[in-house]
Amino acid sequence: NAGVTQTPKFQVLKTGQSMTLQCAQDMNHNSMYWYRQDPGMGLRLIYYSASEGTTDKGEVPNGYNVSRLNKREFSLRLESAAPSQTSVYFCASRDSGTGLQGEQYFGPGTRLTVT
Amino acid sequence: KQEVTQIPAALSVPEGENLVLNCSFTDSAIYNLQWFRQDPGKGLTSLLLIQSSQREQTSGRLNASLDKSSGRSTLYIAASQPGDSATYLCAVMFSGGYNKLIFGAGTRLAVHP
């Protein structure tokens, strides 16, 4: 199984440009997440989707939008990129069908630079 | 505010040493705690998941303990090897924060031959 996949792996944007980060999982998980990782700060939750058709804000949602396209796919959109959004973005999924017991599985990340 | 802290931020040890990584959290009401490994430029790999009802979990040379009352978890690595060099992250799912993991900043471990 591929697990959690993300595209693209690297991206450079200019301030004000828009882009969508794609994430897909093939584990039939209900819950999916978007995090950003900045040096010295660990990972912070941007948005999550507990199940298909639902999305909720995390700790740092400003400047981002998400779409849970179907059970497999969860995309993150930057409408007008800012240098403060330079970061590494990780997508994750979790099987919440067993309640709160499941591990989160992470994709390889997208390294985004905004100039 | 629910927070997770990892100390030390960096650790360098000689090969073969047993070591302990520390994780502390501000609220004892948790659902579970997960330890991850991250290699440079890579994603996160789950090492161990401890449910709130458990005291410890073991996988090979790794042992993670959980003490909710004191808000602490430790990751014990036995007989460390150079291949263990990575950043280790602790993440907590707090009660009331359903579905959300709060991460510590990580401990960067270097094991030298």
Side-chain angles (χ1 to χ4, degrees):
Chain A
N1 285 343
V4 180
T5 58
Q6 293 183 235
T7 57
K9 292 185 178 179
F10 301 93
Q11 184 71 48
V12 178
L13 292 178
K14 294 183 178 179
T15 297
Q17 288 185 318
S18 62
M19 78 162 295
T20 300
L21 282 65
Q22 306 287 353
C23 173
Q25 52 90 10
D26 62 1
M27 297 173 282
N28 202 35
H29 286 170
N30 294 317
S31 300
M32 297 185 72
Y33 310 81
W34 277 105
Y35 295 89
R36 60 178 288 172
Q37 185 176 33
D38 301 297
M41 297 189 70
L43 278 76
R44 292 180 292 169
L45 183 65
I46 305 171
Y47 271 95
Y48 67 98
S49 171
S51 61
E52 186 178 355
T54 68
T55 61
D56 286 284
K57 295 179 181 179
E59 185 181 358
V60 287
N62 292 341
Y64 305 95
N65 286 300
V66 292
S67 296
R68 183 75 182 265
L69 304 172
N70 47 55
K71 191 172 186 179
R72 290 187 63 251
E73 298 172 289
F74 188 38
S75 64
L76 178 71
R77 182 162 179 83
L78 287 69
E79 292 291 352
S80 179
S84 61
Q85 294 179 305
T86 293
S87 188
V88 182
Y89 291 86
F90 288 101
C91 177
S93 70
R94 184 175 75 88
D95 180 8
S96 57
T98 54
L100 297 164
Q101 313 302 312
E103 296 174 61
Q104 285 199 13
Y105 296 87
F106 282 76
T110 294
R111 283 147 186 82
L112 174 67
T113 300
V114 183
T115 61
Chain B
K1 183 180 179 182
Q2 293 167 332
E3 295 182 338
V4 178
T5 303
Q6 292 186 249
I7 295 173
L11 185 62
S12 180
V13 300
E15 181 177 7
E17 191 164 299
N18 301 324
L19 57 98
V20 174
L21 306 182
N22 296 297
C23 172
S24 61
F25 43 95
T26 54
D27 186 347
S28 63
I30 70 170
Y31 284 126
N32 59 48
L33 183 146
Q34 198 166 351
W35 281 95
F36 293 89
R37 168 184 174 140
Q38 185 177 30
D39 293 291
K42 303 293 185 182
L44 279 68
T45 300
S46 179
L47 297 174
L48 291 164
L49 172 69
I50 309 178
Q51 306 297 345
S52 61
S53 59
Q54 298 175 321
R55 295 283 292 181
E56 65 178 345
Q57 282 281 3
T58 298
S59 176
R61 294 183 294 109
L62 305 179
N63 176 277
S65 67
L66 175 64
D67 183 344
K68 286 190 303 178
S69 62
S70 65
R72 293 180 182 177
S73 175
T74 61
L75 179 66
Y76 175 82
I77 303 176
S80 59
Q81 303 170 358
D84 294 330
S85 299
T87 296
Y88 291 81
L89 295 159
C90 170
V92 176
M93 186 178 289
F94 290 98
S95 301
Y98 179 70
N99 246 328
K100 303 176 186 178
L101 278 179
I102 305 297
F103 280 81
T107 294
R108 189 171 66 255
L109 174 66
V111 181
H112 49 85

